[in-house]
Amino acid sequence: METKELTGVAPKKAIVTPKTIIHQKFGTKACYTIEEVKESDENDCPGLSIPQKRPCVYRCSLQLPELLVVSGIFKKKKDAEQSAAELAIQKLGIRVDTDDPTPEEAWDSIVARINYLFSENFLSSLHPLSGHMGAILQRKGDLCGSLPVSVLAVYDAKLGSLCKYIDPEVESNPFLVMSYIIKATTKLSGFIATAEQHPWIRKQSPYPEDIVDSLLKQDGLQEPIQVAAVRIPSSEEKSVEAVTLHISSKEYYLNIIANELGLEDASNVLISRNLGKASSETRLFFAAPKSYILDPSSKLPNGKDGLHLDGPSNLRASYLSGHDIAGDAILASIGYTWKCRDLFYEDVAVQSYYRMLIGKTPGGIYKLSREALLASELPSRFTTRANWRGSFPRDILCNFCRQHRLSEPLFSIISHASKEPTESCGSNLKVADLGRDVIGCVNGAPTTSRPMQSDTEMFQCEVKLLSRCENLIIKCFPKDCFKKQNDAIQNASLKLLVWLNNNFNNTVVPFEPLYETADIFGIQIFSENFFREISHYHSIQNCQQLNQSLGINSSCTTPVKGVCLLKIEGPDSGVCPCNGSLSCISYSVSLVVEGENIKKVIEVTNNFEFEVGVGAVISYVEEVVMQMSVGQSAYFTTSIFTSDLIFASASDSVEMQSLLSSKGCCLEYEINLTKVAEPLEERMEQALFNPSLSKQRVEFAVRHIIESHATTLIDFGCGSGSLLEALLKYQTSLEKIVGVDISPKGLTRAAKVLHSKLVTNSDSGVQLTSIKSLILYEGSITKFGSRLQGFDIGTCLEVIEHMDEDEACLFGDVALSFFCPRILIVSTPNYEYNVVLQRSNLAAQEQYEESGEKTLLQSCKFRNHDHKFEWTREQFQKWASGLAAQHNYNVEISGVGGSADIEPGFASQIAVFKREWSLEDGLLKDADMDHHYNKIWEWVCHRKNK
Ligand code: SAH
Ligand code: MG
């Protein structure tokens, strides 16, 4: 027997069930009877002697005055009931009215609603408006019982939504509601409504005296109270300042705000929707323009606002609220709520205003989520969930949409099963040659697909921003693919946020450059809607660029742009952050007035963690931290970047204001680097291998160096010098060693580490090595430098996977045809080994999981997000043997970590190329190819060799 699923009435908007409709129509005359139905035994297992519990199924009969219907059979009682009701609706031909009301119906409903809001019944209900009703009945004289129309419009959501059926424009201009309310009230008898000087509504015959009396008695506010609020002057020359509202039980609180705004009466005050958090009562209070014409037909032609503003716009308040405001505005958190009859109030500090302001920008939302306004920054890249700190991009985007009154963002997931494996190894395959749907992308860098991944599903995500009325504003469809849908969503959200953030941060640049970058971000802008919905931040952002001559005082540090007086103190522990690692700092930022000995701490944060290399902190901080080692402290000053941020982080705005206005003030950062967690790849390798995989690679290389009796060595892609440093500890025959890398940061770190090692070695008098010269060059290893030709041995450990595949192949060619070392050692990860690493890492990853998803490594299919590819054993073998054959070298393939005979082979695969012929035979020197590497650092031994 079949059980049916409930189908049929599925109203799109308010969920009106068939039972509700029947109830509305028949009330208690509708009688439902549920009956349990026995199912036949046909599904039972024959011969089974243990009694089987069979699921119960139900049927419902519905008795109505003129009709009896019986439902089909359902697993749930309530589904049977709904089905019976649905049948009855069909049989009776009841029109299911789920359609929107017509404008006429809406007018009627508005009139009825206003009548209800002024009824005695309503007065005793717990509704923000009933609080106002109580308060206005206590007003003195003429105005007793007069309710400002603005209050009615703002605090009763139903009136607002009914107005939308009359005029959709209400959506973008909530104040239009007021004119409709007044118009509706004139249709009500027994009501007085004025639209002139003071727009208010009053019931002609007041409430019975006993009701008013009891209201007077139950008033909760005994003592006068002081509520901190903020004044936002319309003149931008004047600063935003704190004001105090003195509220007493004798006076309607809106009157006190009116006085503060220089207005006669509460009915001249307009009130914004609530700002900030959904639960907050914080609103803007401002003057209704004098020439305010409460006639909807007088709307401006652009439809943007129905208010005829008198004076110049209050840009700051308008930006905050999202609609035009003229004149001064008061930001306060005060009013009646759903929770309690008493007046609710909360202090609002100037700091809160600035926090709201920057909380409207994507970057600001991120900074606030990290409680680090002066250090954190919206990261520009999404690497792994585990490395992300602070609110996730998707949440920030949703928040942004809420702030700007847009619909929730729409995410669509596009899934790809990878195509047939593409031949990617050893050939000159260009990314551009690949079809768009051949995927395998990590963090923006598309790569060729690999046989290993051909059966894996990958996801892309498209995100759309829509206005409230569902107009498309922006579409963002980044090319990047992820193994987890959620990561694709985070990535797409971040791409869009970063782009949007540029819009908000560009104070000077016109909008055009953003259009130009849109393509790179995979963004399509629907301009008309964009300009209408996302207003610009430009006009209010308060940039105080101080013209300081920026110089660097310290000799041992690398200049950082925009930073002066950089000082790094404390012994170099050698533990340094690098791209991908998680750094933990404690920092403080102070405002310093030069020459006056004034220093005021603004922001202090301990144990602030961030991923290095993705821009998760302001560039100054990142660049300085990259020069530090754990245990060191750094001090530096920068010019004031924006005063908004300073006001948002400092609690004493008055003091800040006066300090900022003094000449020659700057920000001083003090940073302590407390911890560095290595990048994921290294963490995994260390956890799984003893000695660590990197140590094993170095030892593998050292063994070959010793065996070969080499005297000269070149380390291609030396990074921070892990191999070079190790070579200082071993006794080899090396005399001259050279490191080449493309990254100045890596080379700087290498130089520091090598320097400190050489100093300690010579101090202790122990000199193990025979090394006489050590040089670091900056340059790409795909280019040839003739000075480095014919070295005995070349090493290239875990470097090629950081280049595009065709570049890696080019390096092989250049190395063996121009550099021609006697021996070349190349190591790179074995892609097939990743499953082992992933498995072992699951435990560590658990702590980062949300909702039980496994994402850490899956989101990044390679070991390190900087890897452009990782080869299988077969791919590596093919590349190495092809290269060796082409250049007349021998090659042997082995590896470290794991074993060649046990699946899936070594963790790191290593090729050792050997040249049997002597260099004179086939010396190749192509002057066109010769690039002079940039010498970064050199050390020459001055000691006489024993
Ligand atoms: N060999 C080191 C570093 C490996 S990390 C070690 O085993 O610890 C990879 C390094 O390759 C990085 O320092 C990166 O800057 C460098 N690199 C990437 N592409 C390069 C190129 N085209 N030329 C030179 N170095 C490159
Ligand atoms: Mg690597």
PDB file of all heavy atoms in Angstrom, residues 681 798 801-802 867, ligand 2:
ATOM      1  N   GLU A 681      51.375  22.688   5.819  1.00  0.00           N
ATOM      2  CA  GLU A 681      52.216  21.638   5.251  1.00  0.00           C
ATOM      3  C   GLU A 681      53.293  21.233   6.257  1.00  0.00           C
ATOM      4  O   GLU A 681      53.476  20.068   6.565  1.00  0.00           O
ATOM      5  CB  GLU A 681      52.855  22.162   3.970  1.00  0.00           C
ATOM      6  CG  GLU A 681      53.717  21.136   3.258  1.00  0.00           C
ATOM      7  CD  GLU A 681      54.415  21.735   2.025  1.00  0.00           C
ATOM      8  OE1 GLU A 681      54.395  22.971   1.868  1.00  0.00           O
ATOM      9  OE2 GLU A 681      54.969  20.961   1.250  1.00  0.00           O
ATOM     10  N   GLU A 798      61.714  21.342  -2.861  1.00  0.00           N
ATOM     11  CA  GLU A 798      60.321  21.806  -2.704  1.00  0.00           C
ATOM     12  C   GLU A 798      60.104  23.210  -3.282  1.00  0.00           C
ATOM     13  O   GLU A 798      59.514  24.071  -2.634  1.00  0.00           O
ATOM     14  CB  GLU A 798      59.921  21.788  -1.216  1.00  0.00           C
ATOM     15  CG  GLU A 798      60.131  20.463  -0.530  1.00  0.00           C
ATOM     16  CD  GLU A 798      59.188  19.374  -1.010  1.00  0.00           C
ATOM     17  OE1 GLU A 798      57.978  19.440  -0.734  1.00  0.00           O
ATOM     18  OE2 GLU A 798      59.686  18.454  -1.676  1.00  0.00           O
ATOM     19  N   GLU A 801      57.038  23.094  -7.361  1.00  0.00           N
ATOM     20  CA  GLU A 801      55.574  23.089  -7.242  1.00  0.00           C
ATOM     21  C   GLU A 801      55.026  24.473  -6.907  1.00  0.00           C
ATOM     22  O   GLU A 801      53.821  24.687  -6.933  1.00  0.00           O
ATOM     23  CB  GLU A 801      55.122  22.055  -6.201  1.00  0.00           C
ATOM     24  CG  GLU A 801      55.396  22.402  -4.738  1.00  0.00           C
ATOM     25  CD  GLU A 801      56.808  22.051  -4.296  1.00  0.00           C
ATOM     26  OE1 GLU A 801      57.620  21.657  -5.153  1.00  0.00           O
ATOM     27  OE2 GLU A 801      57.108  22.179  -3.090  1.00  0.00           O
ATOM     28  N   HIS A 802      55.927  25.406  -6.605  1.00  0.00           N
ATOM     29  CA  HIS A 802      55.479  26.779  -6.346  1.00  0.00           C
ATOM     30  C   HIS A 802      55.428  27.606  -7.630  1.00  0.00           C
ATOM     31  O   HIS A 802      55.069  28.774  -7.608  1.00  0.00           O
ATOM     32  CB  HIS A 802      56.399  27.465  -5.333  1.00  0.00           C
ATOM     33  CG  HIS A 802      56.294  26.871  -3.953  1.00  0.00           C
ATOM     34  ND1 HIS A 802      55.508  27.414  -2.971  1.00  0.00           N
ATOM     35  CD2 HIS A 802      56.852  25.754  -3.427  1.00  0.00           C
ATOM     36  CE1 HIS A 802      55.596  26.662  -1.876  1.00  0.00           C
ATOM     37  NE2 HIS A 802      56.408  25.647  -2.128  1.00  0.00           N
ATOM     38  N   HIS A 867      51.007  26.075  -3.466  1.00  0.00           N
ATOM     39  CA  HIS A 867      51.429  25.127  -4.503  1.00  0.00           C
ATOM     40  C   HIS A 867      50.576  25.297  -5.757  1.00  0.00           C
ATOM     41  O   HIS A 867      49.370  25.390  -5.690  1.00  0.00           O
ATOM     42  CB  HIS A 867      51.296  23.680  -3.999  1.00  0.00           C
ATOM     43  CG  HIS A 867      52.353  23.324  -3.007  1.00  0.00           C
ATOM     44  ND1 HIS A 867      52.424  22.092  -2.405  1.00  0.00           N
ATOM     45  CD2 HIS A 867      53.390  24.045  -2.513  1.00  0.00           C
ATOM     46  CE1 HIS A 867      53.458  22.067  -1.572  1.00  0.00           C
ATOM     47  NE2 HIS A 867      54.052  23.247  -1.618  1.00  0.00           N
TER      48      HIS A 867
HETATM   49 MG    MG B   2      56.278  23.510  -1.117  1.00  0.00          MG
END
